[in-house]
Amino acid sequence: MTDHRADHRADHRFGGGDDHADLLDAARTAIVDRCRRMADDGLTLGTSGNISVRMGDRIAITPSGVPYPELTPEQICVIDLEGRTVGPGPVPSSEAPMHTAIYAATDAGAVVHTHPLYATAVSTLVDELPPIHYMIAELGGRVPVAPYATYGTPQLAAHAVAALATGSAVLHANHGATTIGPDLAKAYDRAVLLEWLCRLWHQAQLAGTPRLLPPEEIARVGELLRGYGQPRT
């Protein structure tokens, strides 16, 4: 069973001593858990994709090129907000520049970058994910397709940051998708939702011309979602 407490513990700022170690352990464990789920959830293939969690002025991020079934918490890298490696360990993900750029521009606590089949396919067909279902409101109401740029480049990072100014998800043209959230649980759930929305639109348009929802309905649902669920105690 997933320990969602690890996701939320990893959102807080680094402390010192034992607190520092506990937060880092929690972040690394949570990242490995989500990495091992990505293939089953249809979010990645092979070693593609990457996940990070921010903790104050440090970022825990997946290493480059390590197969997810073999990934251990100790292999999760730690970098600073400039992308410099903190301490010994594997080479961080090649997409670390995009993660650091997103954290610099947003209040995200976690970033999930994936290469899902349907999201990637949709990124080659449209300039923005059509509003085929009201749950697009959970992603900010619209999901733009950012222009193509080579992976790991400042251009890719800049395109992602610009697209995320309108919400919590972006499709990268001919590449994949990125979602953000206040914690890893939310960022990952949004990645799953984005792929479902892309698959829904893909399937519907194969059969004809899908009916889409107007902007005012998406905005209305967005307001409703802000108060959805059980009250917090």
Side-chain angles (χ1 to χ4, degrees):
M1 177 180 291
T2 301
D3 183 359
H4 290 284
R5 291 173 299 176
D7 297 332
H8 298 284
R9 288 172 60 201
D11 291 330
H12 297 293
R13 289 187 171 273
F14 264 94
D18 292 341
D19 289 341
H20 177 113
D22 287 347
L23 288 169
L24 181 57
D25 288 347
R28 285 172 158 163
T29 299
I31 289 172
V32 169
D33 172 72
R34 291 311 195 281
C35 285
R36 290 177 176 171
R37 289 169 52 182
M38 282 204 295
D40 288 341
D41 288 335
L43 299 180
T44 193
L45 181 68
T47 62
S48 66
N50 30 83
I51 293 176
S52 70
V53 171
R54 178 177 178 175
M55 297 164 291
D57 61 355
R58 294 290 184 266
I59 299 167
I61 188 169
T62 45
S64 178
V66 177
Y68 294 133
E70 301 173 12
L71 187 63
T72 65
E74 293 74 24
Q75 292 173 306
I76 299 301
C77 308
V78 178
I79 60 176
D80 65 18
L81 297 180
E82 302 299 321
R84 296 181 292 252
T85 301
V86 178
V91 175
S93 166
S94 60
E95 295 292 12
M98 180 175 70
H99 289 250
T100 57
I102 289 172
Y103 288 124
T106 73
D107 60 357
V111 176
V112 176
H113 174 61
T114 58
H115 291 180
L117 176 61
Y118 289 95
T120 306
V122 170
S123 81
T124 70
L125 298 171
V126 297
D127 295 325
E128 183 175 316
L129 176 63
I132 193 168
H133 192 279
Y134 65 81
M135 278 304 292
I136 197 172
E138 168 63 22
L139 303 178
R142 60 185 297 264
V143 179
V145 177
Y148 177 81
T150 304
Y151 76 90
T153 61
Q155 291 79 13
L156 180 72
H159 292 329
V161 168
L164 289 168
T166 62
S168 57
V170 55
L171 297 176
H172 305 278
N174 303 83
H175 181 153
T178 296
T179 54
I180 62 175
D183 53 44
L184 181 52
K186 178 64 76 172
Y188 189 88
D189 287 348
R190 286 172 172 166
V192 174
L193 171 61
L194 176 57
E195 175 67 351
W196 181 81
L197 289 169
C198 289
R199 183 174 184 177
L200 176 63
W201 180 80
H202 179 272
Q203 295 296 303
Q205 61 85 34
L206 288 177
T209 303
R211 289 190 296 270
L212 303 177
L213 294 172
E216 56 269 23
E217 176 58 16
I218 301 301
R220 183 181 299 113
V221 172
E223 290 296 325
L224 292 172
L225 288 176
R226 275 187 271 276
Y228 182 76
Q230 299 298 314
R232 298 194 178 196
T233 57

